[in-house]
Amino acid sequence: MANKYKNRRAVIIGATSGIGQEVARLLYADGWTIGIAGRREELLGKLKTELGERVICKKIDICAEDADALFLDLMQEVGDVDLVFHASGVGKQNPTLEKDIEMRTMETNVLGFTRIITAAYRYFAEHGGGHIAAISSIAGTKGLGAAPAYSATKRFQNSYIQCLCQHSHINKTGVTFTDIRPGFVKTDLLNDSKHYPMLMEVPYVAKKIVKAVYAKKRKLVVDWKYQILVAAWKMIPDCVWERLRIKN
């Protein structure tokens, strides 16, 4: 496997923890050269020390105005990038609709996401094509009252990726997408002492993601239990769904 991918290059946004960090490990083990980015510079350095010389680090806060410029700098440093993997995002349950939580979620998952994804798309469109994979969520497939901003921003991400897929086909840019929609994953986002059903471990989810990325799968719901759940709740009429007492 490592020999097969030894000339491949990827940039991972949100590689300081969780799924992004584990995907970085898996790609590196398969021979990829990777650029890793995130807000916490010390964690990027720690990951580079762990992995080795085929890693280039850059501190990037996707909410900052210059994030797209820094991202493009990293793309140039890595050179001939084949894959951009976007794993950066925030989300909290917010039944009391605290303003700061809602606005921070919107800022990160909509503005920050758009800033990076469009920069990646333009880069690939200008360089003959490439692959963009992004973590959204099953929360984007149905409105969840316990986490309004999170659910709505993930719906935005699902739709935005679909729009860019159509744009790519119309304009023949050669840019392809994988929209990754996990269920509950044991990451820092869920470190709030609440109970989450069907909680999945990060290494398990990361392996599923890498397999889908290699296959250039258009959409991935992780895992089969959540595939059944999503299929079931999509059949529930809105007039019924909006009266369900879903608290988590």
Side-chain angles (χ1 to χ4, degrees), residues 84-88 109-110 113-114 116-118 120-121 130-137 140 152-170 173 175-182 216-220:
V84 170
F85 181 69
H86 190 282
S88 184
N109 295 354
V110 175
F113 174 87
T114 304
I116 297 300
I117 295 298
T118 54
Y121 183 88
H131 189 55
I132 299 172
I135 297 178
S136 60
S137 171
T153 57
K154 293 303 176 178
R155 176 73 64 88
F156 168 85
Q157 292 177 356
N158 297 157
S159 296
Y160 199 73
I161 290 170
Q162 185 174 59
C163 293
L164 292 186
C165 281
Q166 186 182 74
H167 188 280
S168 180
H169 284 294
I170 291 171
T173 64
V175 184
T176 56
F177 288 86
T178 298
D179 182 356
I180 301 154
R181 304 175 179 181
K216 293 191 175 180
K217 192 170 182 178
R218 171 63 184 84
K219 297 176 187 175
L220 172 70

Side-chain angles (χ1 to χ4, degrees), residues 71-83:
F71 166 75
L72 291 174
D73 287 344
L74 180 57
M75 295 281 279
Q76 294 292 342
E77 289 179 49
V78 175
D80 297 324
V81 175
D82 303 284
L83 167 70

Side-chain angles (χ1 to χ4, degrees), residues 209-221:
I209 289 171
V210 169
K211 183 178 179 181
V213 167
Y214 284 169
K216 293 191 175 180
K217 192 170 182 178
R218 171 63 184 84
K219 297 176 187 175
L220 172 70
V221 175

Side-chain angles (χ1 to χ4, degrees), residues 14-67:
T16 55
S17 64
I19 295 172
Q21 186 178 87
E22 189 61 25
V23 167
R25 290 190 178 104
L26 293 175
L27 293 182
Y28 190 88
D30 282 348
W32 290 66
T33 295
I34 56 175
I36 56 174
R39 291 184 297 109
R40 293 173 287 181
E41 197 167 12
E42 70 281 3
L43 295 180
L44 293 173
K46 185 177 179 181
L47 183 59
K48 177 177 172 60
T49 299
E50 173 194 331
L51 296 180
E53 61 183 10
R54 286 182 283 107
V55 178
I56 300 168
C57 303
K58 187 172 287 292
K59 180 180 178 180
I60 299 176
D61 179 352
I62 66 171
C63 293
E65 289 292 336
D66 64 348

